[in-house]
Amino acid sequence: MATTFATKTYKNFINNEWIESASDKTITSISPADREPVGYVQSSTENDLNKAVEAAHHAKKEWRKLGQAARGQILFKAANILEESLDDVAEMMTREMGKTLPEAKGETARGIAILRYYAAEGMRKDGDVIPSSDKDALMFTKRTPLGVVGVITPWNFPVAIPIWKMAPALVYGNTVVWKPATEGAVTAAKVMECFAKAGFPQGVLNFITGSGSVIGQGLIDHPLLNAITFTGSENVGKGVAKSASARGIKYQLEMGGKNPVIVTKEANIDQAVEAVISGGFRSSGQKCTASSRVIVESAVYNEFKQKLVEAAEKITVGNGLKEGIWMGPCASESQFNTVTKYIEKGKQEGAKLVSGGEVLKGGEYENGFYVTPAIFEDVTADMEIAQEEIFGPVIALIHAADLEEAIEIANNTKYGLSASIFTSNINSILEFIDEIEVGLVRINAESAGVELQAPFGGMKASSSGSREQGEAAKEFFTAIKTVFIKGS
Ligand SMILES: NC(=O)C1=CN([C@@H]2O[C@H](COP(=O)(O)OP(=O)(O)OC[C@H]3O[C@@H](n4cnc5c(N)ncnc54)[C@H](OP(=O)(O)O)[C@@H]3O)[C@@H](O)[C@H]2O)C=CC1
Ligand SMILES: O=C(O)CCC(=O)C(=O)O
């Protein structure tokens, strides 16, 4: 049974105080399941932003001096508090952006695990001893924080993505100004409430809501900002890179994907079908790692297609709070419009819609943004539905004569985030690992789903090249000092 929520107004959190924006205006966040309001957040101004960045700037020296171990202890507390609020946070996530409750609970649990992973970093090394060519000298590296880090996050993982950016930023000694996506800002405020109770010193972690063009852009351009980490669209990401490089600050971008799955003639077809259903349609396809192109060797094409369509037609679509629902609505009206536009485009381009792609209306669907999982065939590599990130429940089936052609098609995109192959042939696996141009290479496993202790990120237009999560996060959130000491 879903909890009943009071529709609340959430404030900004600046210098350890919950404060309203000077604008006196709020933004209403609605549920994509029925367009009912789920909460209100501040429509902040540049003035509010200045306060947040200044607070983070003033806090940075003390926070650095507190030391890594003590910083880690505060993250452990934040993890415990979030764990106590898991059901509440997850229900709000489902209400606000539509993913099903089990998925939202899984994501919140993942956020808690990420916090604990980085809390434990507090007790791990922050440098290396390197032999000097001078036998009487001591030479070592010491990791040092960057200063004030701006964190700009999307709505599709409103808990896990902010945490995988903020937890390492904080444990390695940076202070943070977090601007969440407006469409996930109420869920983000609930996460912030947990962090606020954990006891960070004043100004260390600041939370500000408002539009991307004012608060997001203003954050990147702020003279006191030392680095920016961003996940979102390629378009906005390119602007972030331009502004950050103009200012000479460090930046990290994680953007889209057009992730391929190759099904070879030696594949376990049932395993491949299950993985494509999950990778393509979980979270309504709104993952940067979602499977969107399925490239199938002609020898097994008909068998694979038939089983895939049968499985897709069993998917139950509806309000993610309800038991038995497998796929929720698109996260917003604009996502819904994008998805339906691409479905129409696919038809116009000459692809054949073999399953789904229907807009659900009437009864419980009437006010929501519901589309059934869509499968196209006769898709060619040059079509827009084979090239552009749709970020919705739409899969394109593409024929390939053999593995060589399949890999060529898979690489024929500007993106390079994740890719899967299904095969029992070790030579095909080795060839795929070498030739595929992506950051996440998945063998007999779906393209989505990342592990918090491993590096995460893409190639080509999917990423700015750096990696998030696991030990890799340290490379972005710290700078190295090389120290050479000699007696006098
Ligand atoms: N993980 C991923 O790879 C994601 C990819 N996407 C892709 O992006 C498309 C659009 O989604 P959308 O949410 O609009 O993504 P955006 O890139 O617009 O938003 C991501 C974040 O950037 C902020 N932002 C927007 N404009 C600016 C700006 N000029 N300067 C700084 N920050 C800004 C947003 O704030 P605000 O919400 O206030 O606009 C949000 O916090 C999707 O359809 C999908 O293709 C989207 C989300 C995640
Ligand atoms: O596949 C995942 O679990 C992570 C996906 C992701 O990071 C994203 O969609 O932004």
Side-chain angles (χ1 to χ4, degrees), residues 110 154 156-157 161 164 231-232 254-255 286-290 389 391 417 440 446-451 456 468-469:
R110 177 165 153 193
N156 65 330
F157 282 87
I161 292 179
W164 82 48
T231 298
E254 286 306 334
M255 300 169 289
Q286 299 165 135
K287 297 182 186 178
C288 57
T289 49
E389 184 181 46
F391 225 59
L417 186 53
L440 302 167
E446 68 171 82
S447 63
V450 300
E451 299 214 25
F456 171 70
E468 302 193 270
Q469 305 200 66

PDB file of all heavy atoms in Angstrom, residues 110 154 156-157 161 164 231-232 254-255 286-290 389 391 417 440 446-451 456 468-469, ligand 2:
ATOM      1  N   ARG A 110      21.027   1.434  -3.385  1.00  0.00           N
ATOM      2  CA  ARG A 110      22.324   1.615  -4.067  1.00  0.00           C
ATOM      3  C   ARG A 110      22.983   2.906  -3.578  1.00  0.00           C
ATOM      4  O   ARG A 110      24.193   2.942  -3.333  1.00  0.00           O
ATOM      5  CB  ARG A 110      22.056   1.651  -5.561  1.00  0.00           C
ATOM      6  CG  ARG A 110      23.206   1.897  -6.460  1.00  0.00           C
ATOM      7  CD  ARG A 110      22.725   1.510  -7.852  1.00  0.00           C
ATOM      8  NE  ARG A 110      23.397   2.198  -8.913  1.00  0.00           N
ATOM      9  CZ  ARG A 110      22.968   2.197 -10.180  1.00  0.00           C
ATOM     10  NH1 ARG A 110      21.856   1.563 -10.515  1.00  0.00           N
ATOM     11  NH2 ARG A 110      23.636   2.812 -11.109  1.00  0.00           N
ATOM     12  N   PRO A 154      20.815  14.874 -13.106  1.00  0.00           N
ATOM     13  CA  PRO A 154      19.585  14.682 -13.886  1.00  0.00           C
ATOM     14  C   PRO A 154      18.464  14.083 -13.029  1.00  0.00           C
ATOM     15  O   PRO A 154      18.668  13.759 -11.862  1.00  0.00           O
ATOM     16  CB  PRO A 154      20.033  13.698 -14.952  1.00  0.00           C
ATOM     17  CG  PRO A 154      21.024  12.840 -14.254  1.00  0.00           C
ATOM     18  CD  PRO A 154      21.720  13.708 -13.243  1.00  0.00           C
ATOM     19  N   ASN A 156      16.788  11.204 -13.899  1.00  0.00           N
ATOM     20  CA  ASN A 156      16.505   9.776 -14.142  1.00  0.00           C
ATOM     21  C   ASN A 156      17.000   8.861 -13.026  1.00  0.00           C
ATOM     22  O   ASN A 156      16.448   7.798 -12.808  1.00  0.00           O
ATOM     23  CB  ASN A 156      17.034   9.335 -15.515  1.00  0.00           C
ATOM     24  CG  ASN A 156      18.530   9.407 -15.624  1.00  0.00           C
ATOM     25  OD1 ASN A 156      19.163  10.241 -14.974  1.00  0.00           O
ATOM     26  ND2 ASN A 156      19.111   8.568 -16.440  1.00  0.00           N
ATOM     27  N   PHE A 157      18.076   9.283 -12.323  1.00  0.00           N
ATOM     28  CA  PHE A 157      18.505   8.590 -11.098  1.00  0.00           C
ATOM     29  C   PHE A 157      18.654   9.673 -10.028  1.00  0.00           C
ATOM     30  O   PHE A 157      19.779  10.089  -9.711  1.00  0.00           O
ATOM     31  CB  PHE A 157      19.833   7.847 -11.319  1.00  0.00           C
ATOM     32  CG  PHE A 157      19.681   6.549 -12.059  1.00  0.00           C
ATOM     33  CD1 PHE A 157      19.697   6.511 -13.447  1.00  0.00           C
ATOM     34  CD2 PHE A 157      19.499   5.352 -11.378  1.00  0.00           C
ATOM     35  CE1 PHE A 157      19.548   5.327 -14.151  1.00  0.00           C
ATOM     36  CE2 PHE A 157      19.340   4.160 -12.067  1.00  0.00           C
ATOM     37  CZ  PHE A 157      19.370   4.145 -13.452  1.00  0.00           C
ATOM     38  N   ILE A 161      22.716   9.055  -8.670  1.00  0.00           N
ATOM     39  CA  ILE A 161      23.713   9.888  -9.365  1.00  0.00           C
ATOM     40  C   ILE A 161      24.230  11.016  -8.457  1.00  0.00           C
ATOM     41  O   ILE A 161      25.450  11.189  -8.325  1.00  0.00           O
ATOM     42  CB  ILE A 161      23.192  10.402 -10.726  1.00  0.00           C
ATOM     43  CG1 ILE A 161      23.055   9.214 -11.693  1.00  0.00           C
ATOM     44  CG2 ILE A 161      24.132  11.462 -11.323  1.00  0.00           C
ATOM     45  CD1 ILE A 161      22.527   9.556 -13.087  1.00  0.00           C
ATOM     46  N   TRP A 164      26.619   9.423  -6.051  1.00  0.00           N
ATOM     47  CA  TRP A 164      27.928   8.971  -6.544  1.00  0.00           C
ATOM     48  C   TRP A 164      28.830  10.144  -6.925  1.00  0.00           C
ATOM     49  O   TRP A 164      30.032   9.980  -7.117  1.00  0.00           O
ATOM     50  CB  TRP A 164      27.847   7.861  -7.563  1.00  0.00           C
ATOM     51  CG  TRP A 164      27.582   8.113  -9.014  1.00  0.00           C
ATOM     52  CD1 TRP A 164      28.195   9.025  -9.830  1.00  0.00           C
ATOM     53  CD2 TRP A 164      26.683   7.369  -9.855  1.00  0.00           C
ATOM     54  NE1 TRP A 164      27.719   8.900 -11.119  1.00  0.00           N
ATOM     55  CE2 TRP A 164      26.802   7.895 -11.160  1.00  0.00           C
ATOM     56  CE3 TRP A 164      25.821   6.295  -9.628  1.00  0.00           C
ATOM     57  CZ2 TRP A 164      26.062   7.395 -12.237  1.00  0.00           C
ATOM     58  CZ3 TRP A 164      25.103   5.796 -10.693  1.00  0.00           C
ATOM     59  CH2 TRP A 164      25.205   6.352 -11.980  1.00  0.00           C
ATOM     60  N   THR A 231      25.872  15.386 -15.056  1.00  0.00           N
ATOM     61  CA  THR A 231      25.271  14.298 -15.837  1.00  0.00           C
ATOM     62  C   THR A 231      23.979  14.824 -16.436  1.00  0.00           C
ATOM     63  O   THR A 231      23.169  15.431 -15.726  1.00  0.00           O
ATOM     64  CB  THR A 231      24.979  13.057 -14.969  1.00  0.00           C
ATOM     65  OG1 THR A 231      26.206  12.564 -14.449  1.00  0.00           O
ATOM     66  CG2 THR A 231      24.317  11.946 -15.790  1.00  0.00           C
ATOM     67  N   GLY A 232      23.779  14.585 -17.727  1.00  0.00           N
ATOM     68  CA  GLY A 232      22.566  15.051 -18.392  1.00  0.00           C
ATOM     69  C   GLY A 232      22.717  14.927 -19.887  1.00  0.00           C
ATOM     70  O   GLY A 232      23.421  14.042 -20.383  1.00  0.00           O
ATOM     71  N   GLU A 254      29.042  13.341 -17.887  1.00  0.00           N
ATOM     72  CA  GLU A 254      28.504  12.043 -18.300  1.00  0.00           C
ATOM     73  C   GLU A 254      27.211  12.331 -19.046  1.00  0.00           C
ATOM     74  O   GLU A 254      26.309  12.969 -18.501  1.00  0.00           O
ATOM     75  CB  GLU A 254      28.242  11.137 -17.101  1.00  0.00           C
ATOM     76  CG  GLU A 254      29.499  10.563 -16.479  1.00  0.00           C
ATOM     77  CD  GLU A 254      30.413   9.825 -17.450  1.00  0.00           C
ATOM     78  OE1 GLU A 254      29.917   9.312 -18.478  1.00  0.00           O
ATOM     79  OE2 GLU A 254      31.624   9.791 -17.195  1.00  0.00           O
ATOM     80  N   MET A 255      27.130  11.904 -20.291  1.00  0.00           N
ATOM     81  CA  MET A 255      25.982  12.292 -21.115  1.00  0.00           C
ATOM     82  C   MET A 255      25.270  11.059 -21.679  1.00  0.00           C
ATOM     83  O   MET A 255      25.118  10.091 -20.975  1.00  0.00           O
ATOM     84  CB  MET A 255      26.455  13.269 -22.167  1.00  0.00           C
ATOM     85  CG  MET A 255      27.051  14.509 -21.488  1.00  0.00           C
ATOM     86  SD  MET A 255      27.919  15.604 -22.574  1.00  0.00           S
ATOM     87  CE  MET A 255      29.396  14.677 -22.957  1.00  0.00           C
ATOM     88  N   GLN A 286      14.714   5.066 -19.657  1.00  0.00           N
ATOM     89  CA  GLN A 286      15.308   6.380 -19.352  1.00  0.00           C
ATOM     90  C   GLN A 286      16.614   6.231 -18.573  1.00  0.00           C
ATOM     91  O   GLN A 286      16.768   6.720 -17.459  1.00  0.00           O
ATOM     92  CB  GLN A 286      14.295   7.235 -18.583  1.00  0.00           C
ATOM     93  CG  GLN A 286      13.042   7.487 -19.403  1.00  0.00           C
ATOM     94  CD  GLN A 286      11.884   8.012 -18.581  1.00  0.00           C
ATOM     95  OE1 GLN A 286      11.221   8.924 -18.983  1.00  0.00           O
ATOM     96  NE2 GLN A 286      11.652   7.458 -17.422  1.00  0.00           N
ATOM     97  N   LYS A 287      17.540   5.496 -19.155  1.00  0.00           N
ATOM     98  CA  LYS A 287      18.872   5.329 -18.567  1.00  0.00           C
ATOM     99  C   LYS A 287      19.862   5.644 -19.660  1.00  0.00           C
ATOM    100  O   LYS A 287      19.644   5.244 -20.815  1.00  0.00           O
ATOM    101  CB  LYS A 287      19.115   3.869 -18.133  1.00  0.00           C
ATOM    102  CG  LYS A 287      18.203   3.373 -17.057  1.00  0.00           C
ATOM    103  CD  LYS A 287      18.605   1.930 -16.698  1.00  0.00           C
ATOM    104  CE  LYS A 287      17.631   1.325 -15.717  1.00  0.00           C
ATOM    105  NZ  LYS A 287      17.986  -0.075 -15.407  1.00  0.00           N
ATOM    106  N   CYS A 288      20.977   6.266 -19.301  1.00  0.00           N
ATOM    107  CA  CYS A 288      21.974   6.524 -20.331  1.00  0.00           C
ATOM    108  C   CYS A 288      22.590   5.218 -20.815  1.00  0.00           C
ATOM    109  O   CYS A 288      23.157   5.160 -21.888  1.00  0.00           O
ATOM    110  CB  CYS A 288      23.035   7.490 -19.839  1.00  0.00           C
ATOM    111  SG  CYS A 288      23.840   6.922 -18.363  1.00  0.00           S
ATOM    112  N   THR A 289      22.430   4.155 -19.999  1.00  0.00           N
ATOM    113  CA  THR A 289      22.973   2.844 -20.364  1.00  0.00           C
ATOM    114  C   THR A 289      21.913   1.928 -20.991  1.00  0.00           C
ATOM    115  O   THR A 289      22.176   0.737 -21.202  1.00  0.00           O
ATOM    116  CB  THR A 289      23.519   2.147 -19.100  1.00  0.00           C
ATOM    117  OG1 THR A 289      22.497   2.236 -18.097  1.00  0.00           O
ATOM    118  CG2 THR A 289      24.794   2.774 -18.599  1.00  0.00           C
ATOM    119  N   ALA A 290      20.714   2.462 -21.256  1.00  0.00           N
ATOM    120  CA  ALA A 290      19.626   1.616 -21.774  1.00  0.00           C
ATOM    121  C   ALA A 290      19.993   1.002 -23.125  1.00  0.00           C
ATOM    122  O   ALA A 290      20.670   1.633 -23.945  1.00  0.00           O
ATOM    123  CB  ALA A 290      18.357   2.443 -21.921  1.00  0.00           C
ATOM    124  N   GLU A 389      19.669   9.594 -29.320  1.00  0.00           N
ATOM    125  CA  GLU A 389      19.241   9.056 -28.028  1.00  0.00           C
ATOM    126  C   GLU A 389      17.765   9.403 -27.817  1.00  0.00           C
ATOM    127  O   GLU A 389      17.403  10.574 -27.780  1.00  0.00           O
ATOM    128  CB  GLU A 389      20.078   9.661 -26.893  1.00  0.00           C
ATOM    129  CG  GLU A 389      19.724   9.051 -25.551  1.00  0.00           C
ATOM    130  CD  GLU A 389      20.517   9.624 -24.389  1.00  0.00           C
ATOM    131  OE1 GLU A 389      20.640  10.852 -24.299  1.00  0.00           O
ATOM    132  OE2 GLU A 389      21.001   8.825 -23.565  1.00  0.00           O
ATOM    133  N   PHE A 391      15.841   8.033 -25.179  1.00  0.00           N
ATOM    134  CA  PHE A 391      15.627   8.070 -23.736  1.00  0.00           C
ATOM    135  C   PHE A 391      14.179   7.684 -23.414  1.00  0.00           C
ATOM    136  O   PHE A 391      13.469   8.384 -22.691  1.00  0.00           O
ATOM    137  CB  PHE A 391      15.951   9.460 -23.187  1.00  0.00           C
ATOM    138  CG  PHE A 391      16.789   9.412 -21.918  1.00  0.00           C
ATOM    139  CD1 PHE A 391      18.028   8.808 -21.912  1.00  0.00           C
ATOM    140  CD2 PHE A 391      16.337   9.988 -20.739  1.00  0.00           C
ATOM    141  CE1 PHE A 391      18.809   8.768 -20.757  1.00  0.00           C
ATOM    142  CE2 PHE A 391      17.104   9.957 -19.577  1.00  0.00           C
ATOM    143  CZ  PHE A 391      18.340   9.344 -19.593  1.00  0.00           C
ATOM    144  N   LEU A 417      28.895   4.663 -24.758  1.00  0.00           N
ATOM    145  CA  LEU A 417      28.813   4.424 -23.309  1.00  0.00           C
ATOM    146  C   LEU A 417      28.890   2.937 -22.966  1.00  0.00           C
ATOM    147  O   LEU A 417      29.826   2.489 -22.323  1.00  0.00           O
ATOM    148  CB  LEU A 417      27.519   5.052 -22.745  1.00  0.00           C
ATOM    149  CG  LEU A 417      27.396   4.982 -21.219  1.00  0.00           C
ATOM    150  CD1 LEU A 417      28.618   5.563 -20.521  1.00  0.00           C
ATOM    151  CD2 LEU A 417      26.141   5.691 -20.742  1.00  0.00           C
ATOM    152  N   LEU A 440      31.812   0.765 -21.203  1.00  0.00           N
ATOM    153  CA  LEU A 440      31.276  -0.362 -20.421  1.00  0.00           C
ATOM    154  C   LEU A 440      31.016  -1.523 -21.365  1.00  0.00           C
ATOM    155  O   LEU A 440      30.113  -1.459 -22.206  1.00  0.00           O
ATOM    156  CB  LEU A 440      29.969   0.029 -19.732  1.00  0.00           C
ATOM    157  CG  LEU A 440      30.040   1.237 -18.791  1.00  0.00           C
ATOM    158  CD1 LEU A 440      28.640   1.717 -18.436  1.00  0.00           C
ATOM    159  CD2 LEU A 440      30.807   0.905 -17.526  1.00  0.00           C
ATOM    160  N   GLU A 446      23.074  -7.498 -19.598  1.00  0.00           N
ATOM    161  CA  GLU A 446      22.397  -6.341 -20.192  1.00  0.00           C
ATOM    162  C   GLU A 446      23.295  -5.101 -20.189  1.00  0.00           C
ATOM    163  O   GLU A 446      24.250  -5.006 -19.400  1.00  0.00           O
ATOM    164  CB  GLU A 446      21.073  -6.054 -19.471  1.00  0.00           C
ATOM    165  CG  GLU A 446      21.223  -5.561 -18.054  1.00  0.00           C
ATOM    166  CD  GLU A 446      19.879  -5.093 -17.470  1.00  0.00           C
ATOM    167  OE1 GLU A 446      19.117  -5.949 -17.011  1.00  0.00           O
ATOM    168  OE2 GLU A 446      19.618  -3.884 -17.474  1.00  0.00           O
ATOM    169  N   SER A 447      22.958  -4.143 -21.055  1.00  0.00           N
ATOM    170  CA  SER A 447      23.834  -2.966 -21.199  1.00  0.00           C
ATOM    171  C   SER A 447      23.734  -2.026 -20.004  1.00  0.00           C
ATOM    172  O   SER A 447      24.639  -1.269 -19.712  1.00  0.00           O
ATOM    173  CB  SER A 447      23.478  -2.200 -22.484  1.00  0.00           C
ATOM    174  OG  SER A 447      22.158  -1.702 -22.408  1.00  0.00           O
ATOM    175  N   ALA A 448      22.598  -2.061 -19.272  1.00  0.00           N
ATOM    176  CA  ALA A 448      22.432  -1.178 -18.113  1.00  0.00           C
ATOM    177  C   ALA A 448      22.855  -1.899 -16.840  1.00  0.00           C
ATOM    178  O   ALA A 448      23.065  -3.111 -16.848  1.00  0.00           O
ATOM    179  CB  ALA A 448      20.978  -0.748 -18.012  1.00  0.00           C
ATOM    180  N   GLY A 449      22.985  -1.112 -15.768  1.00  0.00           N
ATOM    181  CA  GLY A 449      23.339  -1.725 -14.482  1.00  0.00           C
ATOM    182  C   GLY A 449      24.820  -1.606 -14.251  1.00  0.00           C
ATOM    183  O   GLY A 449      25.622  -2.262 -14.919  1.00  0.00           O
ATOM    184  N   VAL A 450      25.191  -0.733 -13.319  1.00  0.00           N
ATOM    185  CA  VAL A 450      26.629  -0.520 -13.092  1.00  0.00           C
ATOM    186  C   VAL A 450      26.937  -0.876 -11.649  1.00  0.00           C
ATOM    187  O   VAL A 450      26.068  -0.868 -10.793  1.00  0.00           O
ATOM    188  CB  VAL A 450      27.025   0.936 -13.405  1.00  0.00           C
ATOM    189  CG1 VAL A 450      26.727   1.284 -14.837  1.00  0.00           C
ATOM    190  CG2 VAL A 450      26.317   1.926 -12.493  1.00  0.00           C
ATOM    191  N   GLU A 451      28.184  -1.199 -11.389  1.00  0.00           N
ATOM    192  CA  GLU A 451      28.591  -1.550 -10.024  1.00  0.00           C
ATOM    193  C   GLU A 451      29.361  -0.392  -9.431  1.00  0.00           C
ATOM    194  O   GLU A 451      30.272   0.149 -10.052  1.00  0.00           O
ATOM    195  CB  GLU A 451      29.431  -2.823 -10.050  1.00  0.00           C
ATOM    196  CG  GLU A 451      28.618  -3.985 -10.605  1.00  0.00           C
ATOM    197  CD  GLU A 451      28.947  -5.316  -9.974  1.00  0.00           C
ATOM    198  OE1 GLU A 451      29.425  -5.338  -8.820  1.00  0.00           O
ATOM    199  OE2 GLU A 451      28.723  -6.331 -10.647  1.00  0.00           O
ATOM    200  N   PHE A 456      32.988   4.025 -14.043  1.00  0.00           N
ATOM    201  CA  PHE A 456      31.803   4.190 -14.880  1.00  0.00           C
ATOM    202  C   PHE A 456      31.998   5.406 -15.780  1.00  0.00           C
ATOM    203  O   PHE A 456      32.304   6.498 -15.300  1.00  0.00           O
ATOM    204  CB  PHE A 456      30.569   4.401 -13.997  1.00  0.00           C
ATOM    205  CG  PHE A 456      29.332   4.805 -14.760  1.00  0.00           C
ATOM    206  CD1 PHE A 456      28.699   3.899 -15.592  1.00  0.00           C
ATOM    207  CD2 PHE A 456      28.817   6.081 -14.664  1.00  0.00           C
ATOM    208  CE1 PHE A 456      27.561   4.254 -16.311  1.00  0.00           C
ATOM    209  CE2 PHE A 456      27.675   6.448 -15.383  1.00  0.00           C
ATOM    210  CZ  PHE A 456      27.053   5.532 -16.206  1.00  0.00           C
ATOM    211  N   GLU A 468      33.663   7.988 -13.342  1.00  0.00           N
ATOM    212  CA  GLU A 468      33.069   8.185 -12.024  1.00  0.00           C
ATOM    213  C   GLU A 468      33.094   6.858 -11.270  1.00  0.00           C
ATOM    214  O   GLU A 468      33.354   5.811 -11.841  1.00  0.00           O
ATOM    215  CB  GLU A 468      31.612   8.632 -12.173  1.00  0.00           C
ATOM    216  CG  GLU A 468      31.451   9.901 -12.973  1.00  0.00           C
ATOM    217  CD  GLU A 468      30.052  10.478 -12.844  1.00  0.00           C
ATOM    218  OE1 GLU A 468      29.187  10.125 -13.646  1.00  0.00           O
ATOM    219  OE2 GLU A 468      29.835  11.286 -11.910  1.00  0.00           O
ATOM    220  N   GLN A 469      32.755   6.922  -9.982  1.00  0.00           N
ATOM    221  CA  GLN A 469      32.559   5.751  -9.112  1.00  0.00           C
ATOM    222  C   GLN A 469      33.866   4.974  -8.862  1.00  0.00           C
ATOM    223  O   GLN A 469      34.887   5.188  -9.501  1.00  0.00           O
ATOM    224  CB  GLN A 469      31.479   4.824  -9.655  1.00  0.00           C
ATOM    225  CG  GLN A 469      30.169   5.587  -9.874  1.00  0.00           C
ATOM    226  CD  GLN A 469      28.970   4.684  -9.932  1.00  0.00           C
ATOM    227  OE1 GLN A 469      28.615   4.064  -8.948  1.00  0.00           O
ATOM    228  NE2 GLN A 469      28.319   4.627 -11.070  1.00  0.00           N
TER     229      GLN A 469
HETATM  230  O1  LIG B   2      22.778   1.760 -15.673  1.00  0.00           O
HETATM  231  C1  LIG B   2      22.813   2.330 -14.596  1.00  0.00           C
HETATM  232  O2  LIG B   2      22.525   1.741 -13.551  1.00  0.00           O
HETATM  233  C2  LIG B   2      23.237   3.767 -14.501  1.00  0.00           C
HETATM  234  C3  LIG B   2      22.689   4.582 -15.609  1.00  0.00           C
HETATM  235  C4  LIG B   2      23.057   6.011 -15.528  1.00  0.00           C
HETATM  236  O3  LIG B   2      24.014   6.382 -14.938  1.00  0.00           O
HETATM  237  C5  LIG B   2      22.226   7.017 -16.182  1.00  0.00           C
HETATM  238  O4  LIG B   2      21.249   6.677 -16.813  1.00  0.00           O
HETATM  239  O5  LIG B   2      22.540   8.210 -16.041  1.00  0.00           O
END
